[in-house]
Amino acid sequence: MNHAICLALEKEGYRVFSASSVERAKEICRKEELQLIILDVNLPDGNGFSFCDWVNHEKKTPVLFLTARDLEEDALAGYDMGAVDYVTKPFSMKILLKKISIILKHMIPDDSKEYDDGWLKVDIDGAKVFAGEEECLLTPTEFRLLRQFLMNRKQLLTYDVLLERLWDGGNQFVDKHALAVNINRLRGKIEDEEHKYISNVYGMGYQWIGA
């Protein structure tokens, strides 16, 4: 399976690194600047969820799970860790390649300075946001939320992931209600009837649906 996926990706023009163990995967992650990690849950010398947790702390490279573990709680665990997708076997190689293409197309790198779709304009360094011709005055929390969505376009961001990324290590008590209030305020400032950017995925989290 590893070999077949590598061949298919290389045929599409991707540069691919292959690992058959956790230690080899960590070695590659330390040496190379990766755009995406395709990861199984059941590994010869470890657990994919544990490796994903390591990636989140060490590299923050996006992870796509590809696994035979098709239980709902496994998929939710993957998404809670911030996975961009969770694909179960058997799978279509064409669909997998399309998913990868879409993920990479919509991924904004950390060093991206601006977002502009013609209506919404965001200067990340300057913390300036315009909707149409009007400047949007965002609170620090609202801007951090917006930046998370722009860095993870099309990716489902679960409640737990957003709370961890926004307030991890802080002393402020927050919960899903506080998160929902901030997101609703952000939507009220950047959206109108014709321009929608943030979707509530019921029971799971939020997703950027803009360009």
Side-chain angles (χ1 to χ4, degrees), residues 97-138:
L97 292 174
K98 179 59 70 174
K99 284 177 177 287
I100 292 170
S101 174
I102 292 172
I103 289 168
L104 295 177
K105 178 181 179 181
H106 292 290
M107 195 72 65
I108 294 183
D110 288 344
D111 61 355
S112 178
K113 305 299 182 185
E114 295 183 349
Y115 172 87
D116 186 349
D117 68 355
W119 164 262
L120 182 65
K121 302 176 181 65
V122 182
D123 176 0
I124 292 178
D125 275 354
K128 295 284 189 180
V129 180
F130 292 86
E133 299 300 321
E134 298 293 326
E135 182 175 2
C136 304
L137 300 179
L138 304 185

Side-chain angles (χ1 to χ4, degrees), residues 4 15 36 52 73 75 88 112 119 132 152 162 169 178 185 187 198 205:
R15 187 183 181 201
L36 180 67
C52 183
E73 52 263 38
T88 57
S112 178
W119 164 262
N152 299 277
L162 281 171
R185 288 176 179 167
R187 292 185 64 188
I198 301 171

Side-chain angles (χ1 to χ4, degrees), residues 18 45 69 75 86 131 187:
S18 173
D45 59 340
R69 295 269 290 268
Y86 191 99
R187 292 185 64 188

Side-chain angles (χ1 to χ4, degrees), residues 24-211:
R24 174 57 180 154
K26 288 182 178 180
E27 181 183 338
I28 293 171
C29 286
R30 292 186 183 106
K31 289 177 57 180
E32 306 293 341
E33 289 299 323
L34 306 177
Q35 292 180 291
L36 180 67
I37 294 173
I38 301 174
L39 177 64
D40 204 340
V41 175
N42 299 318
L43 303 175
D45 59 340
N47 178 282
F49 292 138
S50 297
F51 179 72
C52 183
D53 186 61
W54 179 87
V55 170
N56 288 338
H57 285 88
E58 297 291 328
K59 301 292 289 186
K60 298 192 182 299
T61 306
V63 171
L64 182 155
F65 278 103
L66 178 63
T67 178
R69 295 269 290 268
D70 58 358
L71 295 179
E72 183 180 81
E73 52 263 38
D74 290 326
L76 290 175
Y79 283 122
D80 281 341
M81 289 185 168
V84 294
D85 209 339
Y86 191 99
V87 179
T88 57
K89 305 172 184 175
F91 65 94
S92 161
M93 187 67 76
K94 289 183 178 180
I95 295 297
L96 177 64
L97 292 174
K98 179 59 70 174
K99 284 177 177 287
I100 292 170
S101 174
I102 292 172
I103 289 168
L104 295 177
K105 178 181 179 181
H106 292 290
M107 195 72 65
I108 294 183
D110 288 344
D111 61 355
S112 178
K113 305 299 182 185
E114 295 183 349
Y115 172 87
D116 186 349
D117 68 355
W119 164 262
L120 182 65
K121 302 176 181 65
V122 182
D123 176 0
I124 292 178
D125 275 354
K128 295 284 189 180
V129 180
F130 292 86
E133 299 300 321
E134 298 293 326
E135 182 175 2
C136 304
L137 300 179
L138 304 185
T139 67
T141 298
E142 291 165 356
F143 188 79
R144 288 198 300 271
L145 272 170
L146 178 59
R147 189 173 187 276
Q148 282 298 319
F149 283 120
L150 290 178
M151 289 173 60
N152 299 277
R153 285 189 284 175
K154 308 301 182 183
Q155 177 181 343
L156 170 65
L157 296 175
T158 65
Y159 304 121
D160 289 342
V161 165
L162 281 171
L163 290 173
E164 179 184 352
R165 292 182 182 178
L166 292 171
W167 292 286
D168 187 31
N171 295 320
Q172 182 182 7
F173 175 77
V174 293
D175 55 17
K176 290 181 183 179
H177 175 71
L179 177 63
V181 169
N182 278 279
I183 286 181
N184 286 337
R185 288 176 179 167
L186 174 61
R187 292 185 64 188
K189 294 177 180 180
I190 66 173
E191 295 184 349
D192 64 8
E193 289 298 321
E194 297 181 1
H195 303 90
K196 302 297 182 183
Y197 294 100
I198 301 171
S199 173
N200 182 6
V201 182
Y202 183 74
M204 298 184 69
Y206 299 91
Q207 187 174 26
W208 184 267
I209 57 174

